[in-house]
Amino acid sequence: MKDGANRLRGLDRLPATDPTTILRHRDGIYAVDLLTAAIVEFRLFDVLADRPGNLDEIRDRFGWHERPTTVLLTLCLAYGYLDRDENGIFFPTPIAREHLCEDSPWNLTPYYRSLRDRTVVQDFVRVLKTGHPAHWTGHDDAAGDWHASMQVDEFAGAFTAAMDCRGVYLGKKLADTVSDILSDARLFLDIGGGSGVYACALAANANHLHGIVLEQAPVDALAWESIERRALAERVSVHTGDMFHSDWPAECDLHLFSNVMHDWDAPEISRLLHRSHETLLPGGRVLIHETFLDSDRRGPLPVAEYSAILMHSTRGRCYAWSEMIEFLEKAGFSSLGYRPTGGDRGVVIAEKSQ
Ligand SMILES: C[S@@+](CC[C@H](N)C(=O)[O-])C[C@H]1O[C@@H](n2cnc3c(N)ncnc32)[C@H](O)[C@@H]1O
């Protein structure tokens, strides 16, 4: 038992210190590149000072796609450089008018111009114009985006290790936050479960619970390894498949999507939630765990910053928890609300009727 507990390696206890700031440095690393692209390539604040506009007008004016435009405007609201009125019209705030507009004596935009050639700044210019993600490492190669790279051994291994290490803390926070939901569940399916670290965290904190990780190759093999390393193979298994096209294991009364929805745009999210609703047992619950914007989409700032890297490299972005509830309700679920967990993450919970 003692050996088994040690092998859980932190999944059943919290550290003495909070890693949120360390997560934020990494999650927000592309946000300033996005702001730089807006300043130096598009003169966003000058254009909006001359003529404020709503999201669609701004998209039309610059020739931008909706997904990256939403992310950029939310980031500017969260930084406090744009404001939005009750009609959805965006306009520069006093700080932006004084320091990010060319006709001001305190204009600082030349300070950013020297950063124009940074790879990620130029990636953002292309993502705004095309809507297609850039490569994770910063090349403009839509055919080789993050989604394709996750099917290549070396990249999938490194990326899964990154997701796994943060999941030790975030998984324990999730398990503690939904302990009442876990008590009612018997068998869960962790869709796009990565290394299975969240599945292991749920199982490690609810001894009666069994789980299945649904993953594609080659991450499925990494999940098997991590579950065995954590001594949880008697209760957590792996089902190899494509979450969009393969059959999902039936008989589950709980579905978990952890950091999955933020990789995708609305049609894929709808598809996954409809599949979930079809497959889940009556009365079953679904947990959507990731970083959520506030319902007014003005922040929080760390989430608005994280949305930049997701928009850059995946087909998704960060969603507001209220947007996720709308997706869930359209798929037939009833919302059981939103709960913050830890590290700027949270969980939206919903139920399929009996
Ligand atoms: C951002 S990771 C999240 C992993 C884990 N749930 C977590 O929270 O750390 C997204 C996962 O979705 C998986 N994935 C992407 N497309 C998939 C598909 N079509 N079928 C199954 N899994 C998929 C990827 O392999 C990856 O492990």
Side-chain angles (χ1 to χ4, degrees), residues 150 163 192-194 198 215-216 219 241-244 258-259 263:
M150 280 305 283
M163 300 297 96
Y198 292 87
E215 255 299 342
Q216 62 188 359
V219 180
D242 178 329
M243 64 190 179
F244 291 107
S258 174
N259 302 303
D263 295 336

Side-chain angles (χ1 to χ4, degrees), residues 14 22 38 60 64 69 117 130 150 197 211 218 222 246:
L14 288 170
I22 297 173
D60 284 350
W64 292 343
T69 308
D117 294 330
T130 66
M150 280 305 283
V197 63
L222 303 172
S246 310

Side-chain angles (χ1 to χ4, degrees), residues 2-11 226 228-231:
K2 186 159 181 287
D3 183 46
N6 283 339
R7 292 174 78 181
L8 291 175
R9 296 170 196 259
L11 288 178
S226 108
E228 273 165 19
R229 193 172 65 245
R230 292 178 164 124

Side-chain angles (χ1 to χ4, degrees), residues 327-343:
F327 282 124
L328 282 157
E329 289 178 343
K330 279 189 191 144
F333 288 101
S334 305
S335 169
L336 298 178
Y338 168 68
R339 301 179 192 174
T341 54

